[in-house]
Amino acid sequence: MSGQFSNYPRGEDKDVEAGTSSFTEYEDSPFDIASTKNAPVERLRRWRQAALVLNASRRFRYTLDLKREEDKKQMLRKMRAHAQAIRAAHLFKAAAAASRVNGITSSPPAPGSGEFGIGQEQIVSISRDQNIASLQELGGVKGLSELLKTNLDKGIHGDDDDISRRKSAFGSNTYPQKKGRSFWRFVWEASQDLTLIILIVAAAASLALGIKTEGIKKGWYDGISIAFAVLLVIVVTATSDYRQSLQFQNLNEEKRNITIEVTRGGRRVEISIYDIVVGDIIPLNIGDQVPADGVLVAGHSLAVDESSMTGESKIVQKNSSKTPFLMSGCKVADGQGTMLVTGVGVNTEWGLLMASVSEDNGGETPLQVRLNGVATFIGIVGLTVAGVVLFVLVVRYFTGHTKNADGGPQFVGGKTKFERVLDDLVKIITVAVTIVVVAVPEGLPLAVTLTLAYSMRKMMADKALVRRLSACETMGSATTICSDKTGTLTLNEMTVVECYAGFQKMDPPDSSSKLPPGFTSILVEGIAHNTTGSVFRSESGEIQVSGSPTEKAILNWAIKLGMNFDALRSAASAIQFFPFNSEQKRGGVAVKSQDSSVHVHWKGAAEIVLGSCTHYMDENASLADMSGDKMTELKNAIDDMAARSLRCVAIAYRTFEADKIPTDEEQLSTWVLPDDDLVLLAIVGIKDPCRPGVKNAVLLCQHAGVKVRMVTGDNIQTAKAIALECGILASDSDASEPNLIEGKVFRSYSEEERDRISEEISVMGRSSPNDKLLLVQSLKRRGHVVAVTGDGTNDAPALHEADIGLAMGIQGTEVAKEKSDIIILDDNFESVVKVVRWGRSVYANIQKFIQFQLTVNVAALVINVVAAISAGDVPLTAVQLLWVNLIMDTLGALALATEPPTDHLMDRTPVGRREPLITNIMWRNLFIQAMYQVTVLLILNFRGVSILHLESKPNSERVKNTVIFNAFVICQIFNEFNARKPDEINIFRGVLRNHLFVGIICITVVLQVVIVEFLGTFASTTKLDWEMWLVSIGIGSISWPLAVIGKFIPVPETPVSQYFRMSRWRRNSSG
């Protein structure tokens, strides 16, 4: 299939994204949208207006509802205005209270009722109105927690009875969702097709006229037959659409079900966001979504992005005394803290919003838009053909060229009754309208939805949750993947395996006996306080450690050194916190002990923390100067560990004068932790092994034309070691610039230089999120379709900018997940490769369906047009054409659009997004099959009676037409196998694995036998003997050897469509 993918972009001379070719081939087409991600609304509206649509409610069901989007924005504006009004009122009240204007005082809160000391209405009112005065009257956060029977340190009890009582008193964290459409709604929408409505009217007219002219006994056949066929099409279509709808509902449920960490019974546990109750204590970290309304219990530098609710992009600083209120749906932008839940579900602003806005399906995909263009073009051709057929048949009828069964003219001027003329005209119109039904491929764009729904459901089993439909197909075009290291290429199972403390290498690393007590105490104090993880010791003595893999590794190491986590946290209090972030590569905390001494502890990337150290603590717990030689020695130790793929983390501290620390809360919140003159305590090497199958996955990507690039915040030497182990770097000789580069070096280049070297970069170490964004932008300018993995809040811009953003399901923050297109549920690079396979499968399946459908289109249209013009009659009746349409449209899409991906897909280069949908190989296959069918069936139409030796049979004409219809349907059944493998000789490979395909083939065969043998009156057929069945099967079976022979015919590299565009461009240029 080399010709099929010959337009694969490489470098700046072939830009698939921008289409920077020598002529603007798609400039005027409303159906050319390379990416619907962040596409302007006007652009989306333009293609909808240009599409030829017979059933808008069905065609646009799985595209972005532009009106609903506008309604959603208006609703958000109203709610934001409400939130701003609350804030203004709160500020006014605060000012009034401060100045004692008119002696205004707050009214005392109403007493609580039931089991808790406060009622739902009162607590919701305080939270929603952000009434700080009422909160203070209750005794502040501590008083409120007592009313809610919550321990601020240990949380609620969390047993089933406790949860049940809280849900009963304050509600659950769910909101009423609009019911999914019923099956009958889909039946109604399927019946809105304009052509089907015309056919129902024609069926009613045919029924009335038939009964009047032929009597009740025979006159109802034609009308009821058409009505039944139309009803069958509607029911089958509605059933298929209903199943898709259920799949999307299930996927939307998965998308909304966020996992949250809460403190219950003294331990941190993970629960569904739906299981949060009022009174829960929830830790908040950078990137988390605030899962319910609440008040801040304690926090350090906590800043919240409230733009989702207020519309203001300003980040709001939170503290427990003046601005403690947190709104559900907002995101933590900085710092950390714990919150007490005060409102859940519809008792929150966010819950009200979600209850009033129904779920959309993520908007249309580029392939959907392009297929609407194809369907529109084919539809216009079909309408033209139907118009020609109608005109020819009407002219032939009124000029006496249309014959009866006895050979006489059907219409004789002045003699044929009006009712008979009307009945004959209804039949002619019915045939013309049925040709339109067959010709306009209304189901073609919907086949994309079908294959995407199928793929998305299967991808869940492959640990990938698709948040945006278009990402699934775009992944098939990906030319490069920028992947994180930790957890994606590695197992994320971290262990401290090496340690330098007291300027000596500890062997084993957790040998506490080698360190004096004074050294150990300051070291474990820093580890216990400077962490986002936690340690829980059960009554049985079992220890559970929670937090990120790096935090867990260091905490486990400290426990082995003798750390008592709870005792250390109780003995001193944290007064300021600098959360770890991927820009600074370190995090710190200022701790005040009971004797009022202050220690500032830092932890982070070894070489960065080491650079701030002027002293180190030796093996006697004494401070020693960090000389140049000592610094070099430690840097060499770091490089040595990094070269063995260890993550290096340094732990340091310094003392600080207590009287220099601000006492005012506002000043304290802006106090910057001192990070100079540090004392080095320890450097640890953390082992995170490569995932077992990742090397094969990387090689598979490279074989498939997808370059894998590692972008990591780790030390450049660690990144190099892992890249060599994973196969991203083939050998040490590849490990030089620009193949291996540091983030600070890359960002220092100009935009032109970055664009020049971005193509060669395989590994970027010590990169910041902004470096990742710059790399993505450079690669996109080079013409690449870029997939990016990310897990942190700061990765959000790169995830948003990339063609496909892949967030990590385990380590990813909610901010990263919200900006992503696909969530990798197991954080595994192998799952990313599976997504590439599925993306290519979507495109390949659509091409199979297009080839199959166009073959039927062309053959049916040509046969009916030629027969109508030459003989004045059509061999395929309205009912027969409706059955063919059902095979071609709904059943064909089900059979071919649900083919599972094969390894063969990864033998190709990526699918260019400007590549023509109908490739030269498809044109070749289509032409061979359509010409064969047209030739054979037209010969049968004109010479069938003599060829089949039917002269002696009384109903020879009907037998001949039945054979034509039967052979035509059987040709499609055989050709459905050909369509499975457009470019392979063995069309049966893997067929038995696709149970749906086999089932649909069997159903089609059985129904065809029933139609021919038992429904002759309705379908205008007659029973066939075994010889005629063999003839029909023989005609159909020839399509298999024909397909094999055809695949040896070479096709040109340049797509057929490009010749037409080039000639049009030349005409435009000359003009």
Side-chain angles (χ1 to χ4, degrees):
M1 201 162 180
S2 57
Q4 188 171 353
F5 298 101
S6 57
N7 291 343
Y8 170 52
R10 283 293 184 201
E12 51 203 349
D13 54 337
K14 284 190 178 181
D15 184 357
V16 275
E17 304 307 308
T20 54
S21 52
S22 56
F23 51 92
T24 52
E25 54 203 70
Y26 288 100
E27 187 173 64
D28 301 322
S29 173
F31 299 106
D32 176 56
I33 301 179
S35 175
T36 54
K37 187 174 179 179
N38 311 317
V41 171
E42 280 306 313
R43 191 76 197 272
L44 300 179
R45 187 175 283 119
R46 187 178 165 213
W47 79 258
R48 285 164 172 74
Q49 293 167 346
L52 173 67
V53 181
L54 300 177
N55 187 348
S57 61
R58 183 168 182 250
R59 177 79 74 88
F60 298 134
R61 182 184 300 133
Y62 294 111
T63 59
L64 188 67
D65 190 325
L66 300 180
K67 185 177 184 304
R68 187 188 295 167
E69 254 332 84
E70 186 55 40
D71 292 344
K72 187 175 175 181
K73 286 176 184 175
Q74 286 181 2
M75 177 72 70
L76 271 170
R77 280 196 288 269
K78 286 179 185 175
M79 299 196 76
R80 285 166 177 166
H82 179 56
Q84 287 168 337
I86 288 170
R87 183 175 285 104
H90 163 62
L91 292 171
F92 177 77
K93 278 185 178 181
S99 58
R100 305 287 184 192
V101 177
N102 298 327
I104 295 174
T105 57
S106 301
S107 56
S113 59
E115 283 192 66
F116 299 94
I118 187 168
Q120 176 180 308
E121 191 174 325
Q122 185 188 1
I123 195 172
V124 167
S125 173
I126 292 171
S127 183
R128 194 175 285 173
D129 295 343
Q130 301 193 359
N131 192 333
I132 191 79
S134 294
L135 178 64
Q136 295 300 336
E137 286 181 20
L138 294 173
V141 176
K142 185 168 177 55
L144 179 59
S145 69
E146 289 170 357
L147 293 173
L148 292 172
K149 299 182 180 179
T150 297
N151 184 308
L152 291 178
D153 294 320
K154 296 185 177 181
I156 62 174
H157 293 297
D159 55 64
D160 290 343
D161 287 341
D162 186 25
I163 299 294
S164 178
R165 287 195 301 270
R166 290 176 186 277
K167 284 185 176 180
S168 176
F170 303 108
S172 60
N173 200 32
T174 56
Y175 48 87
Q177 295 174 30
K178 294 186 177 180
K179 286 185 177 178
R181 300 178 186 184
S182 68
F183 172 72
W184 300 111
R185 174 70 183 272
F186 286 96
V187 171
W188 171 252
E189 288 187 356
S191 65
Q192 300 302 298
D193 192 300
L194 181 62
T195 51
L196 296 184
I197 292 170
I198 295 170
L199 286 176
I200 288 288
V201 173
S206 180
L207 179 64
L209 292 168
I211 291 172
K212 187 171 183 181
T213 55
E214 299 180 33
I216 189 72
K217 197 170 183 180
K218 289 186 177 181
W220 61 274
Y221 286 165
D222 286 347
I224 292 296
S225 299
I226 295 169
F228 178 76
V230 169
L231 186 65
L232 182 65
V233 169
I234 289 171
V235 170
V236 172
T237 301
T239 303
S240 173
D241 291 349
Y242 181 60
R243 285 181 70 254
Q244 280 182 55
S245 173
L246 292 178
Q247 288 177 4
F248 279 119
Q249 281 181 38
N250 293 336
L251 288 164
N252 284 331
E253 280 298 320
E254 290 288 342
K255 281 192 279 186
R256 286 191 289 257
N257 191 8
I258 299 168
T259 300
I260 297 291
E261 200 174 58
V262 301
T263 303
R264 288 181 178 176
R267 72 170 72 184
R268 286 192 185 182
V269 292
E270 286 192 345
I271 62 170
S272 165
I273 192 172
Y274 299 133
D275 294 331
I276 291 171
V277 292
V278 169
D280 261 326
I281 296 293
I282 301 177
L284 297 173
N285 293 300
I286 294 178
D288 287 349
Q289 175 177 310
V290 179
D293 281 1
V295 290
L296 184 64
V297 176
H300 298 288
S301 309
L302 187 71
V304 176
D305 178 5
E306 294 184 347
S307 59
S308 60
M309 290 304 301
T310 65
E312 298 174 5
S313 57
K314 183 181 172 186
I315 303 298
V316 181
Q317 297 290 329
K318 296 287 179 180
N319 61 63
S320 55
S321 58
K322 293 185 178 178
T323 54
F325 294 102
L326 298 164
M327 287 191 289
S328 124
C330 300
K331 305 292 187 302
V332 179
D334 200 4
Q336 65 177 52
T338 53
M339 69 174 280
L340 170 67
V341 175
T342 59
V344 292
V346 290
N347 295 320
T348 68
E349 292 284 358
W350 186 255
L352 285 174
L353 172 65
M354 295 308 291
S356 61
V357 178
S358 59
E359 182 77 30
D360 63 58
N361 290 297
E364 55 265 46
T365 75
L367 200 51
Q368 259 180 317
V369 179
R370 290 177 70 189
L371 283 171
N372 270 285
V374 173
T376 297
F377 173 75
I378 298 169
I380 290 169
V381 173
L383 281 171
T384 306
V385 168
V388 170
V389 169
L390 179 64
F391 176 76
V392 169
L393 290 180
V394 169
V395 169
R396 287 185 66 94
Y397 178 80
F398 284 112
T399 54
H401 287 84
T402 307
K403 308 296 181 183
N404 283 318
D406 58 6
Q410 277 190 0
F411 175 79
V412 178
K415 294 184 180 180
T416 307
K417 291 182 179 179
F418 176 74
E419 290 85 355
R420 170 61 67 184
V421 172
L422 202 58
D423 189 30
D424 289 339
L425 286 177
V426 166
K427 288 177 180 175
I428 291 171
I429 291 168
T430 302
V431 168
V433 171
T434 311
I435 288 173
V436 175
V437 174
V438 176
V440 179
E442 194 73 5
L444 192 54
L446 295 171
V448 182
T449 313
L450 180 65
T451 189
L452 286 173
Y454 167 79
S455 300
M456 286 165 72
R457 182 165 53 87
K458 293 290 187 183
M459 283 165 73
M460 278 293 291
D462 282 341
K463 303 299 180 185
L465 171 61
V466 179
R467 295 187 70 254
R468 187 172 284 106
L469 270 178
S470 59
C472 193
E473 76 179 46
T474 308
M475 202 64 187
S477 300
T479 60
T480 187
I481 300 171
C482 298
S483 174
D484 283 336
K485 176 187 76 69
T486 306
T488 308
L489 297 170
T490 61
L491 282 169
N492 220 4
E493 295 174 359
M494 299 196 184
T495 314
V496 174
V497 295
E498 204 161 309
C499 171
Y500 286 84
F503 221 94
Q504 59 179 334
K505 184 175 181 180
M506 293 173 61
D507 191 15
D510 52 11
S511 176
S512 58
S513 60
K514 294 188 177 181
L515 297 174
F519 192 119
T520 306
S521 64
I522 194 72
L523 176 62
V524 295
E525 179 191 76
I527 292 171
H529 283 278
N530 191 15
T531 181
T532 54
S534 68
V535 179
F536 173 77
R537 191 183 297 269
S538 66
E539 292 177 2
S540 62
E542 181 190 355
I543 295 175
Q544 292 180 359
V545 179
S546 65
S548 71
T550 305
E551 295 286 4
K552 284 162 71 175
I554 294 174
L555 286 171
N556 277 314
W557 173 66
I559 289 168
K560 291 173 184 176
L561 290 176
M563 178 184 74
N564 187 325
F565 186 81
D566 291 330
L568 286 165
R569 300 274 282 207
S570 302
S573 59
I575 54 177
Q576 179 61 303
F577 194 84
F578 181 86
F580 179 90
N581 67 62
S582 44
E583 290 282 355
Q584 300 284 344
K585 310 286 185 202
R586 60 183 175 175
V589 64
V591 177
K592 190 173 187 179
S593 59
Q594 291 173 348
D595 62 1
S596 295
S597 62
V598 176
H599 290 157
V600 179
H601 294 279
W602 286 96
K603 179 181 71 184
E607 68 270 29
I608 291 175
V609 173
L610 181 62
S612 300
C613 292
T614 55
H615 298 81
Y616 68 92
M617 187 173 282
D618 64 19
E619 67 274 14
N620 300 314
S622 302
L623 297 190
D625 285 337
M626 182 73 73
S627 64
D629 291 342
K630 296 287 186 185
M631 182 74 76
T632 303
E633 194 176 333
L634 287 171
K635 284 182 178 177
N636 290 338
I638 291 169
D639 288 342
D640 176 60
M641 286 191 282
R644 287 179 283 120
S645 70
L646 300 185
R647 168 175 278 190
C648 301
V649 175
I651 300 166
Y653 91 110
R654 63 163 289 170
T655 57
F656 196 77
E657 298 83 354
D659 56 358
K660 291 186 178 180
I661 298 171
T663 53
D664 179 76
E665 190 172 348
E666 282 191 18
Q667 289 181 338
L668 182 62
S669 66
T670 57
W671 178 52
V672 179
L673 289 183
D675 59 358
D676 58 340
D677 201 23
L678 300 185
V679 177
L680 180 70
L681 294 173
I683 297 173
V684 294
I686 303 173
K687 180 68 176 175
D688 184 15
C690 264
R691 289 183 179 273
V694 76
K695 186 166 188 176
N696 289 335
V698 169
L699 292 174
L700 183 62
C701 278
Q702 291 169 348
H703 175 68
V706 182
K707 178 161 182 167
V708 181
R709 305 168 200 268
M710 180 199 294
V711 185
T712 177
D714 268 355
N715 182 298
I716 193 79
Q717 296 302 323
T718 307
K720 172 188 167 184
I722 293 289
L724 286 166
E725 202 174 333
C726 292
I728 294 173
L729 292 176
S731 63
D732 276 319
S733 59
D734 291 336
S736 59
E737 281 194 27
N739 217 9
L740 175 71
I741 195 170
E742 274 199 85
K744 65 181 180 182
V745 176
F746 181 70
R747 83 177 78 109
S748 68
Y749 289 136
S750 66
E751 184 177 298
E752 291 75 16
E753 289 173 317
R754 287 199 298 269
D755 288 354
R756 180 176 55 79
I757 67 166
S758 62
E759 191 84 26
E760 300 172 55
I761 293 173
S762 295
V763 179
M764 186 184 288
R766 279 288 175 250
S767 69
S768 69
N770 191 54
D771 298 332
K772 186 185 284 189
L773 176 62
L774 291 172
L775 178 61
V776 169
Q777 290 170 339
S778 289
L779 290 169
K780 286 184 73 175
R781 285 193 293 269
R782 293 280 293 178
H784 281 281
V785 180
V786 186
V788 167
T789 70
D791 53 16
T793 303
N794 292 333
D795 286 329
L799 291 169
H800 181 73
E801 179 72 21
D803 297 287
I804 315 103
L806 304 161
M808 298 297 107
I810 298 171
Q811 292 302 312
T813 63
E814 286 307 316
V815 171
K817 290 175 186 176
E818 192 176 86
K819 290 293 183 183
S820 70
D821 305 301
I822 298 172
I823 298 173
I824 304 301
L825 299 175
D826 61 354
D827 292 14
N828 191 342
F829 185 77
E830 286 185 271
S831 298
V832 176
V833 179
K834 288 174 183 174
V835 173
V836 174
R837 280 161 53 99
W838 277 109
R840 294 185 176 195
S841 176
V842 167
Y843 195 86
N845 286 351
I846 292 303
Q847 287 189 312
K848 294 169 188 177
F849 179 58
I850 291 173
Q851 179 181 306
F852 173 69
Q853 191 171 48
L854 289 188
T855 304
V856 185
N857 276 129
V858 171
L861 287 176
V862 172
I863 289 166
N864 272 0
V865 168
V866 173
I869 292 173
S870 56
D873 197 8
V874 288
L876 301 173
T877 66
V879 173
Q880 291 170 0
L881 283 173
L882 283 171
W883 169 233
V884 169
N885 184 66
L886 197 61
I887 296 171
M888 172 187 75
D889 210 338
T890 307
L891 296 179
L894 277 170
L896 293 170
T898 57
E899 278 280 322
T902 61
D903 293 336
H904 178 63
L905 293 168
M906 299 302 280
D907 293 333
R908 309 169 176 175
T909 48
V911 180
R913 291 201 300 193
R914 299 280 195 202
E915 187 169 303
L917 279 172
I918 309 172
T919 65
N920 290 356
I921 285 177
M922 291 166 67
W923 279 120
R924 179 197 65 197
N925 298 345
L926 189 158
F927 181 79
I928 289 169
Q929 295 296 330
M931 286 308 298
Y932 165 69
Q933 291 177 25
V934 166
T935 303
V936 171
L937 298 180
L938 282 178
I939 289 171
L940 285 179
N941 187 57
F942 296 115
R943 295 284 182 268
V945 174
S946 58
I947 292 171
L948 300 172
H949 307 295
L950 302 174
E951 296 92 339
S952 58
K953 294 194 175 183
N955 57 345
S956 59
E957 198 65 29
R958 188 153 185 165
V959 172
K960 178 201 76 175
N961 284 343
T962 302
V963 170
I964 291 173
F965 166 61
N966 201 34
F968 185 66
V969 170
I970 291 173
C971 277
Q972 310 323 318
I973 293 170
F974 277 91
N975 195 38
E976 215 157 345
F977 285 88
N978 292 330
R980 284 187 69 247
K981 305 287 182 184
D983 58 338
E984 293 181 51
I985 301 297
N986 184 4
I987 58 174
F988 303 107
R989 183 185 297 166
V991 70
L992 295 178
R993 287 200 299 271
N994 190 347
H995 303 301
L996 190 57
F997 180 88
V998 175
I1000 285 171
I1001 293 292
C1002 293
I1003 289 169
T1004 307
V1005 170
V1006 169
L1007 289 177
Q1008 180 64 17
V1009 172
V1010 170
I1011 287 169
V1012 171
E1013 295 297 317
F1014 303 105
L1015 297 178
T1017 305
F1018 294 98
S1020 304
T1021 59
T1022 187
K1023 289 187 177 183
L1024 297 178
D1025 56 31
W1026 65 270
E1027 290 175 322
M1028 292 301 104
W1029 271 103
L1030 282 179
V1031 168
S1032 302
I1033 293 168
I1035 291 170
S1037 65
I1038 292 173
S1039 67
W1040 281 353
L1042 262 181
V1044 173
I1045 294 166
K1047 283 165 188 173
F1048 288 102
I1049 299 172
V1051 294
E1053 287 278 328
T1054 307
V1056 170
S1057 53
Q1058 198 160 310
Y1059 291 114
F1060 295 107
R1061 291 192 211 109
M1062 288 179 70
S1063 60
R1064 187 178 68 189
W1065 174 73
R1066 289 193 187 102
R1067 284 200 306 273
N1068 292 341
S1069 299
S1070 61

